[in-house]
Amino acid sequence: MKKIRYAPASRVWITGTIVAAGIVFSPFAFPENAVQEPVNLAFTLADTIDRTKAQNSNEEKKRAAESKAAFADAYKVFMHPRCMNCHPSGDAPLQGDKSTIHTMNVQRGPDGKGLFAMKCKNCHQDANLEGEHLPPGIETWHLPTAQRPMVFQGKTPRQLAMGFKDSAFTGFKDIHRLVEHVETDHLVLHSFTYGTRPPLSHKDFVARVKEWIDKGAELPDK
Amino acid sequence: MIKLTVNGKSYELDLPSDMPVLWVIRDRLGLTGTKYGCGVAQCGACTVHMDGEAIRSCVTPVSRAAGKSIVTIEGLEPSLSKPLQEAWTEIDVPQCGYCQSGQIMAAAILIRDQPQPTDNDIDNAMAGNICRCCTYLRIRQAIHLASRLKSSNAMLSAI
Amino acid sequence: MEGLNSIGRRQFIRNTTLAAGGLIIPFKITPRNKTKAGAPELFFRPNAYLRVGSDDTVTIVLSHCEMGQGIWTSLSMLIAEELDADWKSVKAEHAPAAVEFYHTIYATQRTGGSTSLLSEFDRYRKAGATARQLLVQAAANRYKADVKNCRTENGQVIVGENRIRYGELVEEAMRLPVPGEVKLKEPADWKLIGKKVKRLDTPDKINGKAIFGIDVQFPGLLTAMVARAPIPGAKVKSYDASATKSVAGVRQVVQVPSGIAVLADDFWAAKKGRDKLKVEWVPGDGEKIDSDNLLAELKQRADKGGIVNNTSGDPDAALKRAAKIVEVEYYQPFLAHAPMEPVNCTVRLSKDKCEIWTGTQTQTDDQRAASEITGLPIENVFINTVFLGGSFGRRNITRSDFVREGVEVAKASGKLVKTVWTREDDIQGGMYRPAFLHRFKVGLDANGEPVAWKQVSVGQSVMTGGPFEKVAVINGVDMFSIEGMHNAPFVKGIKDQRIELNTPVWPVTVDNWRAVGLSHTIFAMESLTDELAHAAGKDPVEYRRMLYKQEPRLLNVLNIAAEKSGWGKQLPKGQGMGVTVFEAVQSYVALITELSVTKEKGVRVEKVTCAIDCGLPINPDGIVAQTEGSIAFGLSAALYSEITFKKGRVQQKNFYNYPMLRMNEMPDIEVHVVQSTEKPGGVGESSVGQIMSSLTNAIFAATGKRIRSLPVIHHSTSLI
């Protein structure tokens, strides 16, 4: 039988620190058959060197400020209930505009699709249902996996941006996959189709994420 | 026309595509063991299996069930129904009984996927099913018993 | 105490009997040898309550309905016991509506008040003993033996070496005259009563076969859904059904007194059709109901006082002399029943008869209602009671609302039709437990004993306008509004007291909800008792021991619960235990709740220890099951439940905003049933009220915060 160890939330930070130091080392066991994508060290290290060089350039300062500002806008979308509810800090999804813990004791489950008789798709359909308080839905409705829970909830802009730059957090080979994800992932797109909508349109949201990365993926100050 | 299989029997039915599976099986096929409790996926009384998952039939449009296999309380396979029904009888779980079909269909998935469920597993699997008579303690006991019965049945049939 | 009007449920029961003209229900013998059409076997039917088939089957005909409380089994046990039936051959079925099945106390066919066993204990045992005596006689005649030399066992008469199955004796027994008097077994000889007996209804309730009202099906049966007043008392001004009629499957739209009914081939078409219906309503007075003002109005009314029920001595003077004064008030909101099966009613109406299939607690009231609506004589109205998917009082409604509506829909449409309520209809369609405020000013002497008592209670009357008004509402005081308060053992002993009741008349429809008055009065009384103990500086259990020193049954359950729960043990910070002991429905219940209050999980009830003395325990496991259920039912309400109004509209709709206790929130419950030989008391409603105060008393112990209004969830942020 497959045994999954649930990674503690702090793992992300430990791994993140180690990555920045240029060493790939994961102190945590992963499922035997789980694929761990390699960390793109080139990106992180090169970026760090570039930034040091550019410290005194006004242009660079402006670019960095714009990068941070773009992230600040995108952050509002990431932390909006339509997005954050499925990126909770615990193992239960959140629901509603107040991001309360999903009723009925729903759990993430190892694959992010729920547990036993409480799988997400048992209630959430292939499309949103019309009618008050009926579950929204899309074919791929799920949470991040237990192995890589991609927690948004409780993160400051800086912490979240650090996460996005860490392939252990995102599971993406490089940060440009993040753009592809927010631009084309059906579940992301779907978040802009029901209930209280995120503060940016999907198009503007993608543009801000792109701008953040194109302008250096600067970490916000806080 | 929508084709679906219910309890192993194939049907081809002329139905509005948004009609929930619950009303197809109750009002069209006459299988009333599956119950209506809330209509909004809150109570679990309507739980049936679709391709092996415990779906809420009250919110599942029949269009999603097209070409799929539905199992209701009336057609639950004996390897699951037998231990569960034996345990439910032994513990005398039901009071009004209205929610119990849904409870058993949910429990069936649990003991299928987790042969020896812990109390925590039971919470995780069963908190979606409301019992207004609050027979929860007995449901919990019965699931533990059913899992024991299931493994001893499996052992017996292996011999 | 002189001048005190101390009517409790027991007195109420006596009064009811008197109101029925001292009616003793005739042990009426219905025609024997009645066989089912087409059924090959013969039936021996010595009375209305059972029949023995030539195939040995013993069918128990139940004058009460099965809604989960277990009478399917426990009433059958009474007959099977005296009949010495083979339990494996016993089946049960619901009785039709008929005078033979009148409640022996209420003089109407009714399941309610947790009185089924009390009603049937003698009648059903006698019915079984009568059948047994006739079967013995038949066997004795066959073998020319003396009945004294015959005995019975497991569905057989034993005459010497011969064992004769009851089924074989049916034909002979049918011809024998029914005896007037029969001898009942001595308790020492009981084989079923007092033993753990499995429920007879379990098998069909776990394989989908049990038929509830909503499951009734006939070829051509239509489903009706009614658009009802969105505000209590609103009337239809006009409606437009053109969009409704364009929905595939919708067959007819008719107006009925309760609203506009959409009839369709199935539930889904009826619902879609009703969603498209445009109805203009004239709101009326109901629009003024608003929960924002509710508590203020209850308080204003409490200031004004009400009709005096108890009065004795001079409580104001006594309060001046008191060593300590406790002045508090307790509030509880409106509550909905929300049985898992929303109400429904199937009606087949023809020129000369009206047949009804429904889950009901009030068969003969429903029969009368249908007779009134259709103009058919009572005997041409047939009530077929099916399993009730829970009720908690929703189907014990004084006005037969959903049956009346079902008959109206059938009458207006001319169709064979099942009127079904949705969950939203159920939560919003109002038959609510009334909101209540109980205000107290109590004086304690130096020892902490209450010596002065002033109380004003405010809330709508559930009995007014119903069949029991004459016996339950005395001089304007609905005894169920102050149930268990004015006649609480220690209150009766207070020389200086005054208890008043103010009864608002509002358009909100209120009715019986599990435990009726006790669902709010125990919370108030036992929260107060806890506060008195605290004021007196005494341990809550010790304090109650002092109050109930003359009440052996209360004292006994209190001591058992205290001992079994480990009352007094040291608990970590944030944990606490709370006690409640109270008599309800002729049963004595003590509950001790153990819980924790944390930032992460809020109030988490870990364990409830219960001791119950419900008189003779007929089916002990059934008592445990009902007690577990009623504790959790009360807990669910106390933690979460509230019906609120905004401009007359109920704001809750479904389980997402009228939440229920779920598996992961269910505490461990340990039930200790006292062995007693007293008359059977009620069980189904016995612990609903007690858990509420046991819970809040435990929260006080854990946090030092006293919750005086329910539900607890409103206080969750203030507790940590």
Side-chain angles (χ1 to χ4, degrees):
Chain A
M1 200 181 59
K2 203 162 79 175
K3 277 214 163 73
I4 305 285
R5 187 180 299 174
Y6 288 76
S10 62
R11 174 178 66 81
V12 166
W13 306 117
I14 298 163
T15 321
T17 318
I18 296 165
V19 165
I23 305 157
V24 181
F25 171 69
S26 173
F28 293 91
F30 286 101
E32 293 157 39
N33 55 353
V35 181
Q36 197 186 1
E37 294 179 49
V39 177
N40 187 343
L41 283 174
F43 178 83
T44 11
L45 294 176
D47 189 43
T48 315
I49 296 159
D50 280 358
R51 264 188 282 145
T52 325
K53 273 188 189 167
Q55 278 307 311
N56 301 324
S57 152
N58 278 341
E59 216 170 275
E60 282 307 304
K61 268 188 187 163
K62 186 172 168 261
R63 184 177 65 85
E66 281 168 2
S67 176
K68 288 178 190 179
F71 189 84
D73 286 348
Y75 177 80
K76 287 180 194 141
V77 175
F78 288 123
M79 302 309 271
H80 186 271
R82 289 295 81 71
C83 298
M84 190 188 73
N85 284 359
C86 286
H87 293 270
S89 57
D91 269 327
L94 310 172
Q95 66 180 166
D97 286 347
K98 288 179 184 164
S99 296
T100 50
I101 289 177
H102 198 300
T103 57
M104 315 181 201
N105 193 38
V106 173
Q107 301 293 311
R108 177 195 306 278
D111 60 1
K113 293 176 181 170
L115 275 175
F116 312 122
M118 298 291 284
K119 307 266 168 66
C120 308
K121 290 286 288 170
N122 292 353
C123 299
H124 296 273
Q125 304 300 316
D126 294 345
N128 296 337
L129 292 173
E130 272 178 53
E132 201 178 344
H133 212 282
L134 280 165
I138 182 169
E139 280 173 29
T140 53
W141 190 272
H142 71 286
L143 289 134
T145 63
Q147 175 206 332
R148 190 176 280 118
M150 285 182 83
V151 175
F152 292 4
Q153 191 186 14
K155 300 237 158 111
T156 64
R158 185 178 176 85
Q159 289 169 335
L160 190 63
M162 277 171 73
F164 287 147
K165 292 174 75 172
D166 172 7
S167 52
F169 178 83
T170 61
F172 301 144
K173 284 194 186 85
D174 63 56
I175 201 163
H176 298 290
R177 263 286 288 126
L178 178 69
V179 178
E180 194 189 322
H181 174 72
V182 297
E183 191 163 19
T184 60
D185 185 89
H186 290 193
L187 202 45
V188 174
L189 283 160
H190 182 257
S191 305
F192 293 80
T193 65
Y194 69 96
T196 309
R197 306 295 200 272
L200 298 180
S201 70
H202 179 251
K203 198 176 145 217
D204 291 347
F205 168 59
V206 173
R208 300 303 268 160
V209 174
K210 267 187 181 156
E211 187 180 350
W212 170 57
I213 294 168
D214 291 348
K215 292 186 173 167
E218 290 294 332
L219 294 181
D221 301 333
K222 282 178 186 168
Chain B
M1 297 298 261
I2 292 172
K3 282 185 191 173
L4 69 162
T5 306
V6 179
N7 297 337
K9 216 170 143 184
S10 299
Y11 296 89
E12 206 171 320
L13 300 164
D14 185 15
L15 298 164
S17 62
D18 65 345
M19 188 170 185
V21 168
L22 173 65
W23 301 111
V24 177
I25 58 183
R26 282 183 58 86
D27 286 354
R28 294 293 174 92
L29 306 182
L31 294 167
T32 56
T34 307
K35 305 301 187 201
Y36 164 79
C38 70
V40 292
Q42 286 282 321
C43 79
C46 68
T47 305
V48 300
H49 298 173
M50 186 168 81
D51 285 356
E53 294 292 355
I55 62 151
R56 303 289 165 105
S57 64
C58 73
V59 291
T60 305
V62 69
S63 55
R64 187 180 162 205
K68 296 195 170 131
S69 172
I70 305 278
V71 174
T72 71
I73 184 77
E74 292 92 344
L76 185 61
E77 59 168 284
S79 72
L80 295 171
S81 68
K82 206 166 162 278
L84 286 165
Q85 287 169 348
E86 263 178 60
W88 248 248
T89 309
E90 180 55 34
I91 308 286
D92 244 347
V93 175
Q95 289 186 23
C96 90
Y98 192 78
C99 73
Q100 298 295 343
S101 299
Q103 303 279 2
I104 289 171
M105 294 307 278
I109 297 295
L110 172 62
I111 63 164
R112 183 197 69 189
D113 291 354
Q114 184 63 287
Q116 286 168 303
T118 62
D119 278 344
N120 193 43
D121 291 332
I122 294 173
D123 284 347
N124 291 342
M126 304 300 294
N129 289 69
I130 294 174
C131 174
R132 193 70 176 113
C133 304
C134 301
T135 62
Y136 300 120
L137 286 175
R138 286 172 188 242
I139 292 172
R140 186 186 295 283
Q141 286 174 51
I143 289 173
H144 286 306
L145 178 58
S147 78
R148 289 199 296 276
L149 291 169
K150 185 169 176 281
S151 38
S152 59
N153 287 351
M155 268 165 65
L156 282 176
S157 58
I159 298 166
Chain C
M1 186 176 297
E2 216 179 325
L4 278 192
N5 189 353
S6 65
I7 291 195
R9 280 209 199 190
R10 268 172 293 172
Q11 184 64 39
F12 168 72
I13 285 164
R14 267 178 242 134
N15 287 5
T16 323
T17 318
L18 293 174
L23 179 73
I24 294 160
I25 305 304
F27 197 64
K28 191 179 165 181
I29 309 305
T30 46
R32 284 181 282 130
N33 196 10
K34 199 176 166 187
T35 58
K36 251 188 196 168
E41 72 266 57
L42 293 170
F43 290 110
F44 161 52
R45 194 175 184 238
N47 51 58
Y49 313 105
L50 78 142
R51 51 179 196 271
V52 182
S54 50
D55 62 351
D56 291 337
T57 308
V58 176
T59 305
I60 314 292
V61 186
L62 302 169
S63 51
H64 294 262
C65 67
E66 177 59 61
M67 50 190 165
Q69 83 281 40
I71 55 90
W72 202 258
T73 311
S74 52
L75 293 188
S76 299
M77 284 167 71
L78 299 177
I79 286 183
E81 178 67 69
E82 291 294 337
L83 180 58
D84 271 339
D86 175 5
W87 185 246
K88 289 192 288 296
S89 308
V90 174
K91 293 193 307 188
E93 66 182 33
H94 283 125
V99 70
E100 295 98 309
F101 302 106
Y102 274 12
H103 192 292
T104 60
I105 299 156
Y106 296 161
T108 168
Q109 195 169 336
R110 176 174 292 260
T111 308
S114 294
T115 57
S116 298
L117 281 167
L118 186 68
S119 166
E120 306 308 337
F121 187 58
D122 290 338
R123 179 162 70 174
Y124 270 50
R125 283 190 303 150
K126 208 171 147 191
T130 304
R132 179 188 165 276
Q133 190 166 319
L134 288 165
L135 290 162
V136 167
Q137 187 66 58
N141 291 354
R142 187 188 282 190
Y143 289 95
K144 299 194 171 46
D146 191 325
V147 291
K148 286 196 192 90
N149 298 326
C150 304
R151 58 191 184 89
T152 50
E153 193 181 271
N154 260 338
Q156 295 173 336
V157 185
I158 298 159
V159 190
E161 298 292 298
N162 304 296
R163 299 178 82 97
I164 313 109
R165 289 183 294 103
Y166 285 174
E168 297 173 57
L169 295 164
V170 160
E171 213 174 337
E172 287 152 272
M174 273 167 20
R175 298 198 199 95
L176 298 172
V178 174
E181 280 302 316
V182 287
K183 193 173 172 296
L184 298 176
K185 280 185 185 175
E186 290 300 321
D189 298 327
W190 286 337
K191 293 195 180 82
L192 286 169
I193 294 175
K195 305 290 184 305
K196 182 175 173 170
V197 174
K198 288 233 162 64
R199 289 180 71 115
L200 288 173
D201 52 350
T202 295
D204 279 354
K205 285 180 173 176
I206 57 178
N207 61 15
K209 282 189 188 146
I211 297 295
F212 297 85
I214 203 167
D215 302 329
V216 171
Q217 293 184 324
F218 290 104
L221 177 71
L222 297 181
T223 297
M225 218 169 269
V226 178
R228 294 181 196 85
I231 292 168
K235 297 271 178 280
V236 173
K237 188 180 173 194
S238 65
Y239 71 98
D240 173 5
S242 48
T244 299
K245 286 177 177 164
S246 70
V247 173
V250 168
R251 299 290 163 200
Q252 207 174 346
V253 179
V254 293
Q255 186 161 0
V256 291
S258 59
I260 311 298
V262 176
L263 287 81
D265 290 341
D266 51 56
F267 181 102
W268 187 241
K271 184 175 182 299
K272 284 213 289 192
R274 190 180 67 170
D275 286 349
K276 288 191 155 58
L277 194 64
K278 293 189 191 82
V279 188
E280 204 182 328
W281 298 93
V282 185
D285 262 4
E287 227 174 8
K288 289 178 197 150
I289 307 164
D290 203 302
S291 292
D292 289 348
N293 315 325
L294 177 74
L295 188 56
E297 177 159 0
L298 290 171
K299 282 173 188 272
Q300 273 172 22
R301 285 174 170 271
D303 294 343
K304 281 185 202 146
I307 298 173
V308 177
N309 187 61
N310 299 32
T311 178
S312 162
D314 185 347
D316 290 309
L319 278 166
K320 282 189 189 124
R321 292 191 303 270
K324 264 194 180 134
I325 291 174
V326 174
E327 210 172 343
V328 281
E329 58 186 34
Y330 303 97
Y331 168 75
Q332 274 211 45
F334 288 105
L335 295 175
H337 304 81
M340 283 311 290
E341 178 198 17
V343 291
N344 54 76
C345 182
T346 300
V347 180
R348 179 157 68 191
L349 180 61
S350 63
K351 208 163 77 253
D352 54 3
K353 68 176 174 182
C354 175
E355 295 165 278
I356 295 170
W357 289 262
T358 192
T360 176
Q361 294 176 249
T362 58
Q363 289 85 350
T364 47
D365 291 4
D366 299 342
Q367 192 183 32
R368 256 190 302 279
S371 164
E372 270 170 41
I373 294 164
T374 58
L376 291 166
I378 288 257
E379 58 272 22
N380 292 21
V381 177
F382 299 90
I383 308 284
N384 301 282
T385 305
V386 285
F387 280 127
L388 287 68
S391 182
F392 319 112
R394 179 61 186 91
R395 295 167 164 94
N396 180 18
I397 294 302
T398 52
R399 300 156 194 89
S400 293
D401 70 323
F402 62 92
V403 173
R404 279 180 185 276
E405 183 181 72
V407 176
E408 293 281 7
V409 171
K411 187 182 165 189
S413 65
K415 296 289 191 317
L416 169 58
V417 60
K418 171 164 67 184
T419 303
V420 177
W421 294 47
T422 62
R423 173 61 56 204
E424 288 79 6
D425 296 341
D426 168 64
I427 303 273
Q428 304 203 305
M431 285 292 163
Y432 300 112
R433 199 289 305 275
F436 255 88
L437 182 80
H438 298 287
R439 179 182 288 177
F440 301 91
K441 192 168 184 182
V442 179
L444 302 178
D445 67 12
N447 191 34
E449 291 208 48
V451 288
W453 186 281
K454 280 176 75 179
Q455 176 189 340
V456 187
S457 293
V458 189
Q460 283 174 270
S461 164
V462 297
M463 291 296 166
T464 303
F468 297 123
E469 180 172 345
K470 276 188 190 145
V471 286
V473 185
I474 295 162
N475 304 323
V477 176
D478 182 340
M479 290 301 153
F480 284 80
S481 293
I482 48 172
E483 189 175 10
M485 301 180 115
H486 58 300
N487 55 346
F490 69 89
V491 176
K492 280 195 282 192
I494 298 169
K495 199 160 66 57
D496 298 296
Q497 60 166 295
R498 186 160 66 246
I499 297 181
E500 298 168 51
L501 176 69
N502 184 308
T503 308
V505 179
W506 292 331
V508 182
T509 41
V510 293
D511 222 307
N512 298 306
W513 188 93
R514 196 175 190 177
V516 195
L518 296 167
S519 69
H520 52 87
T521 60
I522 297 179
F523 168 67
M525 288 295 281
E526 274 288 303
S527 295
L528 173 64
T529 304
D530 231 52
E531 300 210 48
L532 298 181
H534 189 69
K538 290 195 157 74
D539 171 80
V541 166
E542 276 310 317
Y543 188 75
R544 285 166 174 86
R545 284 186 179 128
M546 176 183 82
L547 289 183
Y548 296 128
K549 54 184 179 277
Q550 307 294 335
E551 300 290 326
R553 295 179 78 182
L554 283 173
L555 207 53
N556 185 37
V557 290
L558 176 63
N559 288 334
I560 294 170
E563 188 208 319
K564 300 288 182 186
S565 67
W567 178 266
K569 67 186 173 191
Q570 280 295 314
L571 291 170
K573 201 172 171 284
Q575 290 183 31
M577 288 170 97
V579 62
T580 278
V581 59
F582 218 80
E583 184 204 333
V585 291
Q586 300 91 51
S587 290
Y588 301 79
V589 175
L591 292 186
I592 291 179
T593 299
E594 192 174 338
L595 52 73
S596 60
V597 182
T598 58
K599 204 168 182 178
E600 297 73 38
K601 293 189 170 174
V603 175
R604 169 88 208 174
V605 180
E606 310 286 352
K607 187 172 180 184
V608 180
T609 306
C610 170
I612 176 169
D613 169 2
C614 57
L616 178 74
I618 290 171
N619 183 3
D621 191 51
I623 292 163
V624 173
Q626 276 305 295
T627 307
E628 289 165 355
S630 72
I631 289 170
F633 185 92
L635 183 61
S636 189
L639 287 172
Y640 306 124
S641 300
E642 180 177 33
I643 289 290
T644 55
F645 294 87
K646 193 91 201 160
K647 287 190 177 158
R649 284 170 196 265
V650 174
Q651 291 177 287
Q652 291 70 27
K653 288 192 170 175
N654 205 316
F655 295 128
Y656 51 78
N657 52 14
Y658 194 72
M660 295 295 151
L661 194 81
R662 291 173 182 272
M663 174 66 86
N664 58 321
E665 299 153 320
M666 181 74 180
D668 189 14
I669 297 176
E670 188 180 297
V671 181
H672 300 272
V673 181
V674 172
Q675 283 304 320
S676 163
T677 51
E678 300 276 346
K679 274 217 159 207
V683 179
E685 301 173 279
S686 65
S687 312
V688 174
Q690 286 89 334
I691 184 63
M692 302 185 184
S693 46
S694 177
L695 168 75
T696 50
N697 292 344
I699 291 173
F700 177 75
T703 65
K705 305 240 169 63
R706 178 67 66 183
I707 291 178
R708 299 193 180 93
S709 71
L710 296 181
V712 168
I713 196 158
H714 289 337
H715 307 274
S716 48
T717 50
S718 70
L719 291 177
I720 303 138

